């Protein structure tokens, strides 16, 4: 099988090696698609500084082709999607069944990949912000794999106004096609009329700006790894609030909520109310895919296909 080798100080390259064997409690997947995102870019940058090779994990969609001992709930032939911890960029990979869920057979692999994690985060952050139909929503990183789906979901769930915040004006047409009513850039001094819910996937200084963009009783959901501080006085002024969110914590603490959100996403997709956008590359063009994300030039999800 093929695997992408991320060796220290050298470009990523395809190597041939025997497929892995599933251990106790593991599944073996034949991979259809694997996602390339900011987390991989950051990992590779850090590994380059340290001079260390890495074997990154990531989101995958594929078919179960092998079972380790003591596995229940899945069978060979099941189509699944989720997260693996290592060696995701390969034709076959071992996975923990607790981090996987079934994927409808009729859904294209790239679209499924976009929803398996990015869509799940987008919907879950809206729910964490207690979004209600008729409310206004602002999404930062709105052209990203998660952000563009958050824009679509806000519209699908009845938002009164959806604002997309992006880093560059050349992304405006893309986010409008995803359903944004208004588009603002981070550099603009004002983001327009205050909003009820703000989903922040960027962090840093945008957290403070996001709080300032909230209406009275508005809620900001922070779900990036970009950090950022909050001025408590700004929260008190208008009774605003900030909610921290990670999909991992939700999965560990409330797996039944995650399953409910996944089912809702597949229903919305089947009803034609979601349209995941993605840029696809073959597995051996990993370098181009990483560079697209590193340059913040992607529109929607970046996907490597193994077929």
């Amino acid at each position: 099988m093929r695997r992408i080798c991320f060796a220290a100080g050298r470009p990523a390259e395809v190597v041939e090696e025997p497929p892995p064997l599933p251990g106790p409690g593991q599944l073996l997947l034949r991979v259809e698609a694997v996602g390339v995102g900011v987390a991989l870019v950051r990992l590779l940058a850090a590994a380059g500084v340290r001079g260390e090779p890495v074997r990154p994990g990531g989101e995958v969609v594929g078919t179960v082709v092998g079972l380790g001992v003591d596995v229940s709930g899945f069978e060979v032939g099941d189509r699944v999607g989720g997260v693996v911890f290592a060696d995701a960029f390969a034709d076959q990979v071992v996975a923990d069944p607790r981090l996987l869920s079934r994927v409808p057979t009729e859904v294209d692999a790239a679209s499924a990949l976009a929803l398996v994690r990015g869509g799940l985060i987008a919907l879950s952050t809206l729910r964490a912000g207690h979004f209600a139909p008729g409310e206004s929503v602002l999404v930062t990183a709105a052209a990203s794999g998660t952000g563009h789906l958050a824009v679509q979901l806000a519209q699908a769930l009845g938002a009164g106004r959806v604002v997309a915040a992006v880093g560059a004006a050349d992304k405006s047409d893309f986010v409008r096609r995803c359903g944004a009513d208004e588009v603002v850039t981070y550099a603009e001094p004002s983001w327009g009329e205050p909003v009820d819910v703000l989903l922040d996937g960027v962090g840093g200084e945008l957290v403070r700006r996001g709080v300032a963009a909230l209406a009275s009783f508005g809620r900001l959901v922070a779900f990036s790894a970009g950090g950022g501080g909050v001025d408590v006085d700004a929260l008190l002024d208008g009774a605003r609030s900030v909610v921290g969110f990670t999909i991992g914590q939700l999965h560990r603490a409330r797996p039944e909520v995650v399953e409910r959100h996944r089912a809702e996403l597949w229903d919305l997709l089947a009803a034609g109310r979601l349209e995941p956008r993605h840029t696809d590359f073959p597995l051996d063009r990993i370098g181009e895919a990483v560079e697209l994300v590193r340059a913040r030039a992607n529109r929607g999800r970046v996907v490597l296909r193994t077929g």
Side-chain angles (χ1 to χ4, degrees):
M1 71 159 204
R2 299 171 303 162
R3 180 177 67 82
I4 300 295
C5 177
F6 297 93
R10 297 206 308 270
E13 60 180 347
V14 178
V15 298
E16 292 283 345
E17 59 184 36
L21 297 174
Q26 292 182 322
L27 302 175
L28 178 64
L29 308 182
R30 182 178 67 248
V31 176
E32 298 176 49
V34 56
V36 176
V38 174
L40 176 64
V41 171
R42 290 173 176 162
L43 177 65
L44 295 179
V49 170
R50 297 192 301 267
E52 299 174 351
V54 291
R55 302 180 75 120
E59 310 103 275
V60 301
V61 167
T63 303
V64 178
V65 293
L67 305 172
V69 297
D70 299 325
V71 171
S72 61
F74 291 97
E75 298 178 354
V76 170
D78 286 345
R79 194 169 189 236
V80 298
V83 177
V84 298
F85 288 131
D87 291 336
F89 298 86
D91 288 321
Q92 296 188 44
V93 63
V94 293
D96 185 334
R98 294 171 296 182
L99 302 178
L100 302 175
S101 63
R102 284 180 173 78
V103 169
T105 57
E106 68 275 11
V107 178
D108 172 74
S111 294
L113 183 79
L115 291 185
V116 158
R117 191 165 178 84
L120 183 62
I121 292 171
L123 180 58
S124 298
T125 54
L126 278 168
R127 299 303 188 206
H130 301 289
F131 164 76
E135 290 190 312
S136 53
V137 178
L138 188 149
V139 180
T140 67
S144 69
T146 297
H148 87 285
L149 291 169
V151 169
Q152 293 186 33
L153 283 162
Q155 287 288 16
L157 298 177
R161 177 169 63 102
V162 179
V163 183
V166 293
D170 61 3
K171 297 178 180 180
S172 296
D173 287 345
F174 172 77
V175 292
R176 285 191 184 278
R177 290 195 300 272
C178 291
D181 299 303
E182 301 171 21
V183 183
V184 297
T185 65
Y186 304 148
E188 292 179 37
S190 171
W191 286 351
E193 291 296 316
V195 296
D196 300 303
V197 178
L198 193 150
L199 308 181
D200 179 50
V202 178
E205 181 57 31
L206 291 194
V207 176
R208 287 180 179 269
R209 289 207 62 190
V211 170
L214 292 175
S216 295
F217 302 100
R219 293 85 67 198
L220 183 150
V221 183
F223 65 95
S224 83
V230 177
D231 181 354
V232 173
D233 288 338
L235 298 180
L236 296 175
D237 180 15
R240 302 165 174 134
S241 60
V242 174
V243 178
F245 177 85
T246 66
I247 195 64
Q249 179 63 27
L250 183 64
H251 195 284
R252 288 188 292 272
R254 300 179 179 176
E256 73 285 355
V257 174
V258 170
E259 289 306 312
R260 188 165 66 245
H261 289 176
R262 282 173 171 154
E264 186 174 359
L265 288 167
W266 297 130
D267 288 345
L268 287 167
L269 182 67
R273 301 179 70 187
L274 288 180
E275 185 182 350
R277 311 295 180 89
H278 46 85
T279 302
D280 299 2
F281 293 91
L283 187 67
D284 59 3
R285 289 172 60 189
I286 175 69
E288 294 174 61
V290 169
E291 184 54 37
L292 186 67
V293 176
R294 180 183 290 118
R296 307 283 183 172
N298 58 296
R299 308 288 192 271
R301 199 70 175 93
V302 177
V303 178
L304 295 178
R305 291 184 183 262
T306 60

